[in-house]
Amino acid sequence: MQRLPIIFGTFFKIGLFTFGGGYAMIPLIEREVIDRRGWVERREFLDLLTLAQSVPGPIAVNTAVFVGYRIRGLRGALAALTGTILPSFTIILLIALFFADIRQNPVVDAAFKGMRPAVVALIIGPVISLARGMHRTMFAVIAAAALAIWGLGWSPIYVLAGAAVAGMAWELAAAHRKGGTR
């Protein structure tokens, strides 16, 4: 059973050293909870990540909560949540207090501009990692969803709901073909 300070510390470290938002945190969470700590299996992490994307809120926070809950229940979820948001909250609070004074500083502006490409790379990394574990037919689903959202202007909520219904129907049909239920 994992100790709560270890869960808190792990997610605090992730929250402290991640720039670029939730998607940039996913590879760090993945590395810590799967590769380094062995708290969850890769397949289960993908399921938790899918669930985290499906509920309202920041994806990294949702993922941390689901992983924390998975490894230690409600207390684990609270430890992971607190560890994830505390660094960002503290940094944003400090920036808010002093940002007016440094906003026009060319060094600060250059630092933010320099971080942009790294943030993009941090977002692309988990996309490629997740794509490796997917069945080839899922790429057609991705293309159809992107076309529906960006090409046809459909609401992502309807696309997600439709994909959830289609996924359940697919699994039920597969279970029926095998002669049992899942």
Side-chain angles (χ1 to χ4, degrees), residues 48-71:
L48 291 172
L49 187 58
T50 301
L51 184 61
Q53 291 176 5
S54 303
V55 296
I59 186 170
V61 174
N62 292 345
T63 303
V65 167
F66 291 143
V67 169
Y69 186 83
R70 163 60 182 82
I71 58 179

Side-chain angles (χ1 to χ4, degrees), residues 141-175:
V141 173
I142 292 169
L147 175 67
I149 293 168
W150 291 309
L152 302 175
W154 291 8
S155 169
I157 294 170
Y158 296 133
V159 174
L160 279 174
V165 169
M168 287 185 282
W170 180 275
E171 287 297 316
L172 287 172

Side-chain angles (χ1 to χ4, degrees), residues 4-131:
L4 295 176
I6 294 171
I7 296 170
F8 172 83
T10 298
F11 283 97
F12 184 85
K13 180 177 73 171
I14 291 167
L16 187 61
F17 292 107
T18 305
F19 294 94
Y23 284 101
M25 293 174 92
I26 299 303
L28 296 176
I29 294 172
E30 181 180 13
R31 189 174 321 123
E32 282 292 320
V33 304
I34 296 171
D35 301 333
R36 187 158 184 264
R37 304 241 180 232
W39 286 340
V40 295
E41 297 293 322
R42 187 165 306 281
R43 177 75 180 149
E44 185 177 16
F45 181 77
L46 292 175
D47 291 342
L48 291 172
L49 187 58
T50 301
L51 184 61
Q53 291 176 5
S54 303
V55 296
I59 186 170
V61 174
N62 292 345
T63 303
V65 167
F66 291 143
V67 169
Y69 186 83
R70 163 60 182 82
I71 58 179
R72 192 66 197 276
L74 192 56
R75 290 182 179 176
L78 187 58
L81 171 69
T82 307
T84 302
I85 65 171
L86 189 59
S88 298
F89 176 77
T90 305
I91 291 168
I92 294 298
L93 182 61
L94 292 172
I95 289 173
L97 292 173
F98 301 108
F99 188 68
D101 296 335
I102 63 169
R103 185 172 160 192
Q104 302 303 325
N105 186 320
V107 174
V108 172
D109 186 50
F112 281 123
K113 286 180 181 174
M115 283 190 263
R116 286 181 191 152
V119 169
V120 171
L122 287 172
I123 293 170
I124 291 172
V127 170
I128 293 170
S129 176
L130 289 172

